[in-house]
Amino acid sequence: MAFKEPDFWDRLDISSVSAEETERSYSEVLSKAKKLEASYELRKLRAGRRRSALRVIAGIAAVVALIIVPAVSVMYVRRSLDRPVQPVTAEFREFIARKGEIRELVLPDQSRVTLNAGSTLFYPETFSDVRYVYLSGEAVFDVTASGEHPFIVKTSDVSVRVHGTRFNVSAYPDEDNVNVALCRGAVSVSPNKGDAVPVELKPDQSYRYSRIDGSSTVTSVNSSEYTGWESGNLSFHSQDIHSVARTIGRRFNVNIYVTTGKYDKAVITAKFIHGETFEEQMNAICRLVPGMKYSVSGENVYLR
Protein backbone atom coordinates (compact mmCIF):
# COMPACT_ATOMS: atom_id res chain seq x y z
CA MET A 1 0.00 0.00 0.00
CA ALA A 2 1.58 3.30 -1.05
CA PHE A 3 1.79 6.00 1.63
CA LYS A 4 1.60 9.60 0.46
CA GLU A 5 1.48 12.71 2.61
CA PRO A 6 -1.43 14.51 0.92
CA ASP A 7 -0.11 18.08 1.11
CA PHE A 8 3.40 17.79 -0.28
CA TRP A 9 4.49 14.17 -0.71
CA ASP A 10 4.01 14.15 -4.50
CA ARG A 11 6.58 16.94 -4.93
CA LEU A 12 9.23 15.71 -2.52
CA ASP A 13 12.78 16.04 -3.81
CA ILE A 14 14.38 13.29 -1.75
CA SER A 15 17.59 13.04 -3.79
CA SER A 16 18.85 16.49 -2.77
CA VAL A 17 18.54 15.98 0.98
CA SER A 18 21.71 15.03 2.83
CA ALA A 19 21.91 12.64 5.77
CA GLU A 20 22.63 15.58 8.11
CA GLU A 21 19.55 17.45 6.89
CA THR A 22 17.47 14.30 7.26
CA GLU A 23 18.56 13.94 10.88
CA ARG A 24 17.66 17.55 11.67
CA SER A 25 14.32 17.23 9.96
CA TYR A 26 13.57 13.97 11.69
CA SER A 27 14.00 15.78 15.02
CA GLU A 28 11.24 18.17 13.97
CA VAL A 29 8.94 15.27 13.07
CA LEU A 30 9.80 13.64 16.38
CA SER A 31 8.87 16.80 18.27
CA LYS A 32 5.42 16.70 16.68
CA ALA A 33 5.13 13.02 17.53
CA LYS A 34 5.95 13.74 21.18
CA LYS A 35 3.30 16.45 21.32
CA LEU A 36 0.79 14.02 19.85
CA GLU A 37 1.77 11.39 22.42
CA ALA A 38 1.44 13.93 25.26
CA SER A 39 -1.99 14.98 24.02
CA TYR A 40 -2.98 11.34 23.74
CA GLU A 41 -1.82 10.59 27.31
CA LEU A 42 -3.80 13.59 28.60
CA ARG A 43 -6.95 12.40 26.87
CA LYS A 44 -6.36 8.91 28.24
CA LEU A 45 -5.92 10.30 31.78
CA ARG A 46 -9.14 12.29 31.55
CA ALA A 47 -10.97 9.28 30.20
CA GLY A 48 -9.54 7.21 33.05
CA ARG A 49 -11.00 9.61 35.58
CA ARG A 50 -14.42 9.16 34.04
CA ARG A 51 -13.96 5.38 34.14
CA SER A 52 -12.14 5.03 37.47
CA ALA A 53 -13.16 1.40 37.79
CA LEU A 54 -11.75 0.41 34.42
CA ARG A 55 -8.14 0.41 33.25
CA VAL A 56 -7.69 -0.05 29.57
CA ILE A 57 -4.47 -1.95 28.79
CA ALA A 58 -4.93 -3.25 25.28
CA GLY A 59 -6.40 -2.35 21.92
CA ILE A 60 -4.68 1.06 21.73
CA ALA A 61 -4.13 2.43 18.23
CA ALA A 62 -0.52 2.95 17.16
CA VAL A 63 -0.96 6.69 16.71
CA VAL A 64 2.76 7.39 16.60
CA ALA A 65 3.09 5.36 13.40
CA LEU A 66 0.98 7.92 11.59
CA ILE A 67 3.33 10.77 12.47
CA ILE A 68 6.70 9.04 12.05
CA VAL A 69 7.06 9.57 8.34
CA PRO A 70 10.36 10.17 6.52
CA ALA A 71 11.88 13.35 7.86
CA VAL A 72 12.60 14.73 4.44
CA SER A 73 8.95 15.71 4.17
CA VAL A 74 9.62 18.36 6.80
CA MET A 75 12.71 19.41 4.86
CA TYR A 76 10.57 19.94 1.76
CA VAL A 77 8.18 22.21 3.64
CA ARG A 78 11.05 24.35 4.88
CA ARG A 79 12.74 24.52 1.49
CA SER A 80 9.50 25.28 -0.34
CA LEU A 81 9.28 28.55 1.57
CA ASP A 82 12.67 29.62 0.25
CA ARG A 83 12.73 28.46 -3.37
CA PRO A 84 10.78 26.34 -5.84
CA VAL A 85 11.50 22.61 -5.96
CA GLN A 86 11.38 20.42 -9.03
CA PRO A 87 8.37 18.09 -8.81
CA VAL A 88 9.77 14.65 -8.03
CA THR A 89 7.77 11.72 -6.66
CA ALA A 90 9.20 9.76 -3.75
CA GLU A 91 7.20 6.62 -3.10
CA PHE A 92 6.98 5.20 0.40
CA ARG A 93 5.01 2.19 1.45
CA GLU A 94 3.15 1.35 4.63
CA PHE A 95 3.21 -2.26 5.83
CA ILE A 96 0.82 -3.19 8.65
CA ALA A 97 0.38 -6.27 10.83
CA ARG A 98 -2.96 -5.86 12.53
CA LYS A 99 -3.87 -7.27 15.91
CA GLY A 100 -4.01 -11.04 15.74
CA GLU A 101 -1.60 -11.45 12.80
CA ILE A 102 2.13 -11.74 12.04
CA ARG A 103 3.36 -10.70 8.58
CA GLU A 104 6.62 -11.00 6.65
CA LEU A 105 8.10 -8.52 4.19
CA VAL A 106 11.11 -8.43 1.84
CA LEU A 107 12.51 -4.90 1.52
CA PRO A 108 13.96 -3.44 -1.72
CA ASP A 109 17.51 -4.41 -0.63
CA GLN A 110 16.35 -8.01 0.07
CA SER A 111 16.46 -7.49 3.84
CA ARG A 112 13.68 -9.41 5.54
CA VAL A 113 11.30 -8.10 8.19
CA THR A 114 8.79 -10.02 10.30
CA LEU A 115 6.22 -7.67 11.79
CA ASN A 116 4.47 -8.56 15.04
CA ALA A 117 0.78 -7.96 15.75
CA GLY A 118 -0.31 -4.33 16.05
CA SER A 119 2.76 -2.94 14.24
CA THR A 120 3.45 -0.62 11.31
CA LEU A 121 6.56 -0.19 9.14
CA PHE A 122 7.24 2.63 6.66
CA TYR A 123 9.90 1.95 4.02
CA PRO A 124 10.89 3.47 0.65
CA GLU A 125 10.36 1.81 -2.70
CA THR A 126 14.05 2.44 -3.39
CA PHE A 127 16.76 2.94 -0.77
CA SER A 128 19.27 5.79 -0.98
CA ASP A 129 22.78 5.83 0.49
CA VAL A 130 21.37 5.33 3.99
CA ARG A 131 18.62 2.71 4.29
CA TYR A 132 16.05 4.27 6.63
CA VAL A 133 12.89 2.50 7.82
CA TYR A 134 10.41 3.69 10.45
CA LEU A 135 8.80 1.35 12.98
CA SER A 136 5.95 1.57 15.44
CA GLY A 137 5.44 -1.74 17.24
CA GLU A 138 7.69 -4.80 17.07
CA ALA A 139 9.68 -6.46 14.30
CA VAL A 140 12.55 -8.86 13.66
CA PHE A 141 15.00 -7.58 11.04
CA ASP A 142 17.33 -9.80 9.01
CA VAL A 143 19.39 -7.16 7.22
CA THR A 144 21.36 -7.65 4.02
CA ALA A 145 24.95 -6.60 4.63
CA SER A 146 26.27 -3.46 2.93
CA GLY A 147 29.29 -1.62 4.26
CA GLU A 148 28.56 1.43 2.10
CA HIS A 149 24.85 1.67 2.88
CA PRO A 150 24.04 1.60 6.61
CA PHE A 151 20.61 0.33 7.63
CA ILE A 152 18.85 2.44 10.29
CA VAL A 153 15.61 1.62 12.10
CA LYS A 154 13.92 4.71 13.51
CA THR A 155 11.35 4.53 16.30
CA SER A 156 9.81 7.40 18.25
CA ASP A 157 12.51 7.10 20.93
CA VAL A 158 15.61 5.29 19.67
CA SER A 159 17.53 4.64 16.47
CA VAL A 160 19.23 1.34 15.63
CA ARG A 161 22.15 1.43 13.17
CA VAL A 162 23.37 -1.77 11.50
CA HIS A 163 25.29 -3.04 8.48
CA GLY A 164 24.21 -6.68 8.31
CA THR A 165 22.65 -8.55 11.20
CA ARG A 166 19.54 -10.06 12.80
CA PHE A 167 17.82 -8.32 15.70
CA ASN A 168 14.45 -7.60 17.32
CA VAL A 169 13.03 -4.15 18.04
CA SER A 170 10.00 -3.69 20.29
CA ALA A 171 8.68 -0.12 20.35
CA TYR A 172 4.94 -0.21 20.93
CA PRO A 173 3.65 3.30 21.73
CA ASP A 174 1.58 2.02 24.68
CA GLU A 175 4.56 0.42 26.46
CA ASP A 176 6.89 2.14 28.96
CA ASN A 177 10.07 0.70 27.44
CA VAL A 178 11.71 0.24 24.03
CA ASN A 179 13.74 -2.97 23.67
CA VAL A 180 16.38 -4.01 21.15
CA ALA A 181 17.72 -7.59 21.29
CA LEU A 182 20.62 -8.68 19.07
CA CYS A 183 20.73 -12.21 17.64
CA ARG A 184 23.84 -11.99 15.45
CA GLY A 185 26.17 -9.38 14.00
CA ALA A 186 26.45 -5.97 15.62
CA VAL A 187 24.24 -2.93 16.12
CA SER A 188 24.55 0.42 17.86
CA VAL A 189 21.55 1.96 19.62
CA SER A 190 21.10 5.58 20.66
CA PRO A 191 18.22 7.68 22.02
CA ASN A 192 16.80 10.17 19.54
CA LYS A 193 17.10 13.05 21.99
CA GLY A 194 20.15 14.22 23.88
CA ASP A 195 23.78 13.57 23.04
CA ALA A 196 24.24 10.11 24.54
CA VAL A 197 27.02 7.99 23.03
CA PRO A 198 25.59 5.12 20.93
CA VAL A 199 25.66 1.78 22.74
CA GLU A 200 27.12 -1.13 20.77
CA LEU A 201 25.46 -4.49 21.39
CA LYS A 202 26.93 -7.95 21.10
CA PRO A 203 24.91 -11.06 20.23
CA ASP A 204 22.59 -12.13 23.07
CA GLN A 205 22.51 -8.68 24.57
CA SER A 206 19.41 -6.52 25.03
CA TYR A 207 19.17 -2.72 25.19
CA ARG A 208 16.24 -1.27 27.14
CA TYR A 209 15.28 2.40 26.96
CA SER A 210 12.84 3.81 29.53
CA ARG A 211 10.31 6.28 28.20
CA ILE A 212 9.56 7.28 31.79
CA ASP A 213 12.96 8.65 32.81
CA GLY A 214 15.11 8.36 29.66
CA SER A 215 17.50 5.84 31.20
CA SER A 216 18.94 2.85 29.35
CA THR A 217 20.39 -0.50 30.38
CA VAL A 218 22.15 -3.37 28.62
CA THR A 219 21.72 -6.96 29.84
CA SER A 220 22.70 -10.44 28.68
CA VAL A 221 19.71 -12.41 27.37
CA ASN A 222 18.71 -15.43 25.35
CA SER A 223 17.89 -13.59 22.14
CA SER A 224 15.83 -16.50 20.80
CA GLU A 225 13.21 -15.73 23.44
CA TYR A 226 12.85 -12.23 22.01
CA THR A 227 12.21 -13.53 18.51
CA GLY A 228 10.13 -16.58 19.44
CA TRP A 229 6.92 -14.71 18.64
CA GLU A 230 7.71 -15.30 14.95
CA SER A 231 6.72 -18.92 15.57
CA GLY A 232 3.76 -18.05 17.78
CA ASN A 233 5.61 -18.26 21.11
CA LEU A 234 5.32 -15.72 23.92
CA SER A 235 7.86 -15.09 26.70
CA PHE A 236 7.43 -12.77 29.68
CA HIS A 237 10.37 -11.78 31.89
CA SER A 238 9.39 -10.17 35.20
CA GLN A 239 6.67 -8.11 33.50
CA ASP A 240 3.68 -6.45 35.14
CA ILE A 241 0.16 -7.65 34.48
CA HIS A 242 -0.62 -4.64 32.28
CA SER A 243 2.23 -5.34 29.86
CA VAL A 244 1.40 -9.07 29.78
CA ALA A 245 -2.25 -8.37 29.01
CA ARG A 246 -1.38 -5.90 26.25
CA THR A 247 0.84 -8.50 24.59
CA ILE A 248 -1.76 -11.27 24.80
CA GLY A 249 -4.44 -8.85 23.59
CA ARG A 250 -2.43 -7.99 20.49
CA ARG A 251 -1.69 -11.64 19.79
CA PHE A 252 -5.31 -12.81 19.94
CA ASN A 253 -6.99 -9.59 18.74
CA VAL A 254 -8.98 -8.96 21.90
CA ASN A 255 -9.36 -5.98 24.23
CA ILE A 256 -8.19 -6.76 27.75
CA TYR A 257 -9.19 -4.59 30.69
CA VAL A 258 -8.01 -4.64 34.31
CA THR A 259 -10.88 -3.63 36.56
CA THR A 260 -8.92 -3.44 39.81
CA GLY A 261 -5.60 -2.05 40.98
CA LYS A 262 -4.82 -4.83 43.44
CA TYR A 263 -2.63 -6.67 40.91
CA ASP A 264 -0.53 -3.67 39.90
CA LYS A 265 2.53 -4.96 41.77
CA ALA A 266 2.26 -8.50 40.42
CA VAL A 267 5.37 -9.59 38.46
CA ILE A 268 4.96 -12.35 35.92
CA THR A 269 7.53 -14.66 34.31
CA ALA A 270 6.10 -17.20 31.89
CA LYS A 271 6.71 -18.94 28.56
CA PHE A 272 4.15 -20.19 26.09
CA ILE A 273 6.00 -22.30 23.53
CA HIS A 274 3.58 -25.10 22.71
CA GLY A 275 0.92 -23.25 20.77
CA GLU A 276 -1.27 -22.61 23.80
CA THR A 277 -4.71 -21.20 23.09
CA PHE A 278 -5.99 -17.90 24.46
CA GLU A 279 -7.93 -19.72 27.19
CA GLU A 280 -4.87 -21.76 28.19
CA GLN A 281 -2.70 -18.67 28.43
CA MET A 282 -5.25 -16.73 30.45
CA ASN A 283 -5.80 -19.64 32.82
CA ALA A 284 -2.05 -19.93 33.34
CA ILE A 285 -1.69 -16.21 34.07
CA CYS A 286 -4.53 -16.38 36.59
CA ARG A 287 -2.82 -19.28 38.34
CA LEU A 288 0.37 -17.22 38.62
CA VAL A 289 -1.51 -14.31 40.23
CA PRO A 290 -3.44 -15.67 43.24
CA GLY A 291 -7.05 -14.55 43.30
CA MET A 292 -7.16 -13.16 39.79
CA LYS A 293 -9.98 -14.29 37.48
CA TYR A 294 -11.14 -13.31 34.02
CA SER A 295 -14.38 -13.19 32.08
CA VAL A 296 -15.04 -12.84 28.36
CA SER A 297 -17.76 -10.79 26.68
CA GLY A 298 -17.42 -10.82 22.89
CA GLU A 299 -14.00 -9.40 22.02
CA ASN A 300 -13.59 -7.88 25.50
CA VAL A 301 -11.81 -9.62 28.38
CA TYR A 302 -12.07 -8.40 31.97
CA LEU A 303 -9.52 -9.19 34.70
CA ARG A 304 -10.83 -8.87 38.25
Side-chain angles (χ1 to χ4, degrees):
M1 173 182 177
F3 172 79
K4 290 175 177 283
E5 188 71 15
D7 292 336
F8 47 77
W9 198 256
D10 288 337
R11 300 184 59 226
L12 180 60
D13 182 9
I14 190 171
S15 61
S16 64
V17 183
S18 68
E20 291 77 12
E21 291 173 323
T22 298
E23 287 296 326
R24 289 196 299 270
S25 298
Y26 181 79
S27 297
E28 296 179 19
V29 175
L30 207 56
S31 176
K32 293 183 179 180
K34 291 297 185 182
K35 291 179 180 178
L36 180 59
E37 285 181 309
S39 174
Y40 170 75
E41 290 298 328
L42 179 59
R43 292 196 303 270
K44 186 173 68 173
L45 178 60
R46 289 172 176 170
R49 289 172 179 168
R50 292 193 298 267
R51 306 188 307 271
S52 59
L54 190 64
R55 298 190 177 191
V56 180
I57 65 169
I60 300 175
V63 293
V64 180
L66 301 179
I67 195 69
I68 305 177
V69 295
V72 288
S73 61
V74 177
M75 180 59 64
Y76 172 79
V77 171
R78 185 163 62 243
R79 287 187 169 186
S80 65
L81 299 176
D82 301 328
R83 60 177 175 80
V85 178
Q86 288 295 106
V88 177
T89 298
E91 292 288 343
F92 264 71
R93 295 194 176 275
E94 178 186 30
F95 189 73
I96 298 174
R98 304 188 187 282
K99 290 174 62 177
E101 66 179 5
I102 295 173
R103 300 185 66 192
E104 296 183 356
L105 170 70
V106 179
L107 295 174
D109 65 343
Q110 300 306 302
S111 295
R112 295 181 177 273
V113 182
T114 304
L115 212 60
N116 204 352
S119 304
T120 302
L121 183 76
F122 290 101
Y123 67 97
E125 280 193 339
T126 303
F127 283 120
S128 57
D129 289 342
V130 180
R131 297 174 287 172
Y132 282 104
V133 298
Y134 301 83
L135 172 70
S136 176
E138 183 170 18
V140 170
F141 294 86
D142 201 336
V143 177
T144 301
S146 175
E148 297 179 352
H149 303 288
F151 190 100
I152 297 179
V153 180
K154 289 280 192 179
T155 76
S156 62
D157 297 278
V158 305
S159 299
V160 185
R161 186 184 182 95
V162 306
H163 290 283
T165 185
R166 175 176 167 82
F167 59 100
N168 184 82
V169 180
S170 180
Y172 285 105
D174 55 346
E175 297 289 353
D176 292 335
N177 300 305
V178 175
N179 291 281
V180 179
L182 180 62
C183 301
R184 67 168 183 268
V187 302
S188 59
V189 189
S190 57
N192 291 334
K193 61 182 180 180
D195 54 358
V197 177
V199 176
E200 295 186 2
L201 296 184
K202 298 178 181 179
D204 285 328
Q205 283 188 331
S206 173
Y207 172 98
R208 172 173 290 188
Y209 173 84
S210 171
R211 287 170 165 157
I212 297 176
D213 59 16
S215 63
S216 61
T217 57
V218 176
T219 57
S220 296
V221 298
N222 180 354
S223 60
S224 64
E225 294 183 356
Y226 286 77
T227 60
W229 57 263
E230 289 183 286
S231 303
N233 301 333
L234 288 180
S235 296
F236 303 105
H237 307 271
S238 300
Q239 292 179 234
D240 62 71
I241 185 61
H242 304 283
S243 178
V244 170
R246 282 191 293 266
T247 300
I248 294 176
R250 285 189 291 263
R251 167 59 55 85
F252 293 100
N253 192 20
V254 296
N255 303 308
I256 302 180
Y257 302 92
V258 174
T259 61
T260 176
K262 62 182 179 181
Y263 305 123
D264 285 353
K265 294 183 179 180
V267 177
I268 296 173
T269 296
K271 293 182 183 179
F272 299 103
I273 58 176
H274 301 293
E276 289 85 353
T277 65
F278 171 77
E279 290 77 13
E280 290 172 333
Q281 293 193 22
M282 291 302 297
N283 288 332
I285 296 300
C286 286
R287 287 196 297 270
L288 290 173
V289 183
M292 189 171 70
K293 297 180 180 179
Y294 78 97
S295 60
V296 179
S297 177
E299 295 183 353
N300 298 320
V301 179
Y302 302 92
L303 295 174
R304 62 186 191 282

